[in-house]
Amino acid sequence: MIVCFGLSWPVSIYKSYTSRTAKGKSLFFEVFIWLGYVFGIIRKCVEMSSGRTFGWLFYLVLAFYIINITEVTIDIMLFFRNVKLDKAAVQNE
């Protein structure tokens, strides 16, 4: 699941960047996804503090969480840029 999400965010970022509009995007949805990644990262950090030894899969999952939260953050920033562009387009009409 996390790999599929990670592959889909670049598509969303590309669409947000090229469309130059926030129409059809949900900030509410993206913030909840972002929070899910935050809690996933926190969980992995808590596991790391337990003193156990972890294999490569643990660190791979942590890396995917970090990559995904970065992608969602970029998409959220583009959302705010696109809201500004939408407001400017309305003022210019």
Side-chain angles (χ1 to χ4, degrees):
M1 180 202 79
I2 197 167
V3 173
C4 290
F5 264 36
L7 294 173
S8 66
W9 283 114
V11 174
S12 181
I13 291 168
Y14 177 77
K15 285 185 174 184
S16 294
Y17 183 75
T18 58
S19 71
R20 301 179 62 86
T21 184
K23 295 175 183 168
K25 296 291 276 190
S26 171
L27 180 61
F28 188 73
F29 172 77
E30 288 192 356
V31 168
F32 271 111
I33 297 293
W34 189 86
L35 283 173
Y37 287 131
V38 167
F39 289 127
I41 291 169
I42 290 171
R43 178 176 173 255
K44 291 296 179 191
C45 290
V46 168
E47 288 178 15
M48 287 173 66
S49 68
S50 71
R52 288 185 13 215
T53 306
F54 297 98
W56 63 272
L57 187 59
F58 174 85
Y59 295 105
L60 182 65
V61 170
L62 181 60
F64 276 118
Y65 274 123
I66 293 168
I67 291 167
N68 285 346
I69 198 169
T70 302
E71 292 172 328
V72 175
T73 301
I74 291 168
D75 206 31
I76 289 172
M77 291 178 357
L78 285 170
F79 174 85
F80 287 112
R81 179 203 74 157
N82 290 344
V83 166
K84 283 184 182 180
L85 292 173
D86 288 341
K87 287 180 182 178
V90 167
Q91 288 178 351
N92 290 335
E93 288 180 359

